[in-house]
Amino acid sequence: MHEYTAIAHPNIAFIKYWGNRENDLRLPANGSISMSLGALETRTSVTLLPELISDELELDGSLQSGSALERVSIFLEIFRSISGRHEFARVVSDNSFPQSAGIASSASAFAALALAASHAYELLLTERELSILARRGSGSAARSIPSGFVEWHRGSSNDDSFAETIAPLDYWPLWDCIALVEDQPKKVGSTLGHQLADTSPLQSARLQDADRRLDLCRKSILEKDFAKLADVIELDSNMMHAVMLTSCPPLMYWSPLSVEIMRQVSGWRTGGLEAAYTLDAGPNVHVICSADARPRVSHQLSEIQGVLDVIVSPVGGGAFLIPH
């Protein structure tokens, strides 16, 4: 019996992934760019056991059934199909941060699962191949395989929609200060949300402009230009949430406190603080800031009434295997 354990970090998207052009393969409607969050992690162990008659999933100490187990089992079936092996797996996964609250828990979960499962099923995969497989479990998991600042290419097919590092983790010491507005799972998960994207009349305009925003974001990272980065990530976040708000049915992930934090962060930047907001599919506000601004940003966020906690993370590395 061999147990393989992997750790992966969630990521925060600067240019968002929202909407698929093919749902089963999770082929994205547009490319995206993200930053790995090194202070947060998912630790996942995979053990193949001949005596199991189905896969087992333990998540944060609780045995899972229903849709969570089904999603993991469908994902593991891909590894069984590729490897030609048929053993079922016991999967044990733990998060160091709230799951399903807009902090990309599915990204780190499926990235860690992909890496651990690839070793359990004795598959020798490149980082690109692993990113492609992780994408099949959760689209943004493709971006939690590589290290640092990462771009996920839209691609034209399953084989060329993958993520890769565009700048290493020590290239630019940015920080993410996450204002925790809610710590409970969101009512509408991202998988369903992606399927609603095309019902918004604004999605086509968002996609039409995506390559321009990707170029601006990539250039601002490579040039370490915070002002330009701030402008494009706030624009991109607002555009994604505009699509959500105008989907059918509409999705409103923002809470009144989310909006208040966004308003305050914009004011801080006007006052000279290098800080910019971005939100994934959830109410929690990610405030990207420079290393110099981090102490002040985290303190000011914690002073806002209603903020439950401020989680702070530097740029992180890629998914990795823990030796047993």
Side-chain angles (χ1 to χ4, degrees):
M1 182 183 79
H2 291 291
E3 177 182 293
Y4 292 91
T5 303
I7 286 179
H9 305 293
N11 62 78
I12 177 61
F14 291 168
I15 302 298
K16 307 294 189 185
Y17 152 55
W18 195 249
N20 293 317
R21 62 185 197 278
E22 209 286 336
N23 283 321
D24 289 343
L25 293 173
R26 299 182 196 269
L27 293 175
N30 61 278
S32 54
I33 291 175
S34 65
M35 176 181 114
S36 175
L37 300 178
L40 311 179
E41 65 179 41
T42 298
R43 179 184 295 248
T44 300
S45 297
V46 175
T47 311
L48 304 190
L49 297 169
E51 65 269 24
L52 289 180
I53 58 170
S54 62
D55 295 311
E56 293 181 353
L57 172 63
E58 181 184 303
L59 180 57
D60 292 329
S62 175
L63 205 60
Q64 301 292 304
S65 59
S67 60
L69 174 60
E70 183 184 7
R71 186 173 175 184
V72 164
S73 202
I74 289 170
F75 185 60
L76 290 173
E77 199 57 47
I78 300 169
F79 291 82
R80 286 190 277 267
S81 175
I82 295 171
S83 68
R85 297 183 61 172
H86 306 292
E87 301 101 316
F88 291 108
R90 176 176 294 150
V91 178
V92 179
S93 189
D94 294 286
N95 293 302
S96 71
F97 58 97
Q99 60 161 324
S100 303
I103 314 181
S105 57
S106 66
S108 52
F110 279 95
L113 179 56
L115 181 54
S118 70
H119 284 269
Y121 286 101
E122 298 182 331
L123 298 174
L124 293 174
L125 302 175
T126 63
E127 183 180 272
R128 172 173 170 160
E129 290 168 336
L130 201 58
S131 175
I132 288 169
L133 275 180
R135 188 201 75 226
R136 301 278 299 274
S138 170
S140 52
R143 298 190 308 246
S144 281
I145 295 294
S147 175
F149 298 91
V150 172
E151 180 165 0
W152 173 16
H153 303 288
R154 178 184 184 275
S156 58
S157 69
N158 178 61
D159 297 332
D160 62 357
S161 182
F162 68 99
E164 64 180 341
T165 298
I166 56 172
L169 67 95
D170 56 356
Y171 184 78
W172 191 12
L174 294 183
W175 286 74
D176 184 7
C177 297
I178 308 166
L180 207 62
V181 172
E182 293 178 14
D183 58 3
Q184 297 301 308
K186 56 203 179 194
K187 292 181 177 67
V188 180
S190 298
T191 297
L192 176 59
H194 285 293
Q195 295 171 17
L196 296 176
D198 285 336
T199 66
S200 166
L202 302 184
Q203 174 74 338
S204 58
R206 178 182 163 270
L207 297 179
Q208 197 172 5
D209 187 56
D211 285 344
R212 183 189 71 89
R213 298 193 309 282
L214 282 164
D215 289 343
L216 285 171
C217 184
R218 191 186 312 109
K219 188 177 180 186
S220 67
I221 291 169
L222 296 177
E223 294 178 355
K224 304 178 186 178
D225 188 326
F226 192 88
K228 287 181 179 174
L229 179 71
D231 286 344
V232 74
I233 69 174
E234 289 188 353
L235 170 65
D236 193 85
S237 178
N238 291 344
M239 288 179 79
M240 180 181 74
H241 283 271
V243 167
M244 294 167 170
L245 287 165
T246 51
S247 294
C248 186
L251 298 174
M252 185 177 289
Y253 286 113
W254 290 347
S255 74
L257 183 53
S258 308
V259 177
E260 173 59 19
I261 294 168
M262 288 188 278
R263 189 189 65 77
Q264 291 208 30
V265 170
S266 292
W268 299 347
R269 193 163 71 258
T270 302
L273 196 61
E274 288 190 323
Y277 67 78
T278 183
L279 291 85
D280 279 345
N284 298 316
V285 184
H286 295 253
V287 183
I288 308 302
C289 60
S290 62
D292 288 345
R294 180 188 61 82
R296 193 170 150 200
V297 167
S298 58
H299 173 72
Q300 290 181 186
L301 286 173
S302 70
E303 294 287 291
I304 297 174
Q305 188 171 4
V307 171
L308 303 175
D309 193 11
V310 179
I311 302 170
V312 177
S313 179
V315 187
F320 63 96
L321 204 68
I322 301 173
H324 278 278

